[in-house]
């Protein structure tokens, strides 16, 4: 089962290394990882996507809570939440295929952020499923490169992850 764990950590050198090292030492896989500073410059918010049964996820959260750099964490997948991922895609398209690619971008509510005579660079934001569906939909065009940010998320409603 896929889990999204959001972690507030001290914004200090080595904090990310210690967290990633915990996953590595215990043979837990990190599917996606995003990190960015919060409104409090002393803290960063880290979002990890991993897979595991409930016992494995419980072990991960217990081990993370033992790290001195970890201030607070929440398993977003335990409750209702909003998750998003950013994807940039370079697609080769020429002739009538250009219009078809543009229509597909509109259908997926994406944006063409760079254009050359033969290549579109497209930005999409959404769930992993939406981004995967877009790649499949433009399959007739030649996808040159795909860059994905990794999942980030936030709990819905009044629930917040702060000190």
């Amino acid at each position: 089962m896929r889990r999204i764990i959001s972690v507030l950590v001290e914004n200090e050198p080595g904090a990310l290394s210690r967290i990633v090292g915990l996953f590595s030492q215990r043979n837990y896989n990190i599917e996606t990882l995003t990190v960015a500073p919060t409104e409090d410059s002393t803290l960063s918010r880290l979002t990890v996507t991993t897979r595991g049964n409930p016992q494995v996820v419980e072990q991960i959260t217990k081990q993370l809570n033992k790290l001195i750099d970890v201030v607070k964490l929440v398993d977003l997948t335990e409750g209702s939440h909003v998750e998003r991922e950013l994807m940039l895609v370079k697609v080769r398209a020429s002739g009538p295929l250009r219009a078809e690619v543009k229509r597909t971008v509109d259908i997926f509510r994406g944006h063409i952020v760079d254009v050359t005579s033969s290549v579109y660079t497209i930005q999409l934001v959404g769930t992993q499923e939406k981004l995967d569906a877009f790649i499949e939909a433009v399959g007739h065009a030649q996808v040159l490169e795909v860059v994905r940010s990794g999942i980030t998320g936030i709990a819905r409603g009044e629930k917040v992850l702060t000190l």
Side-chain angles (χ1 to χ4, degrees), residues 13-143:
L16 178 60
S17 174
R18 287 183 280 280
I19 291 169
V20 171
L22 180 146
F23 277 79
S24 174
Q25 290 167 355
R26 287 161 179 80
N27 206 25
Y28 302 141
N29 187 39
I30 295 174
E31 287 190 0
T32 71
L33 174 68
T34 60
V35 184
T38 65
E39 62 278 3
D40 180 347
S41 63
T42 65
L43 298 173
S44 291
R45 186 171 180 142
L46 179 146
T47 306
V48 179
T49 306
T50 188
R51 289 195 182 270
N53 61 40
Q55 292 81 22
V56 168
V57 173
E58 184 179 344
Q59 276 302 106
I60 291 171
T61 57
K62 283 182 178 176
Q63 295 296 323
L64 284 171
N65 273 317
K66 288 181 183 176
L67 293 176
I68 193 154
D69 304 301
V70 172
V71 176
K72 199 171 183 182
L73 71 86
V74 65
D75 181 353
L76 290 174
T77 44
E78 286 181 343
S80 61
H81 64 282
V82 177
E83 62 180 82
R84 293 290 183 269
E85 185 173 7
L86 172 87
M87 179 172 73
L88 297 172
V89 185
K90 281 188 181 180
V91 176
R92 184 178 309 280
S94 57
L97 194 56
R98 290 177 73 82
E100 191 173 329
V101 170
K102 285 177 77 174
R103 277 193 297 276
T104 305
V105 170
D106 289 341
I107 290 168
F108 280 84
R109 298 185 182 154
H111 300 282
I112 296 173
V113 294
D114 189 43
V115 177
T116 68
S117 60
S118 61
V119 175
Y120 285 138
T121 301
I122 301 155
Q123 171 189 302
L124 277 138
V125 176
T127 63
Q128 278 188 316
E129 293 78 19
K130 175 184 173 180
L131 304 184
D132 292 341
F134 177 80
I135 294 293
E136 192 170 312
V138 296
H140 50 275
Q142 185 180 4
V143 175

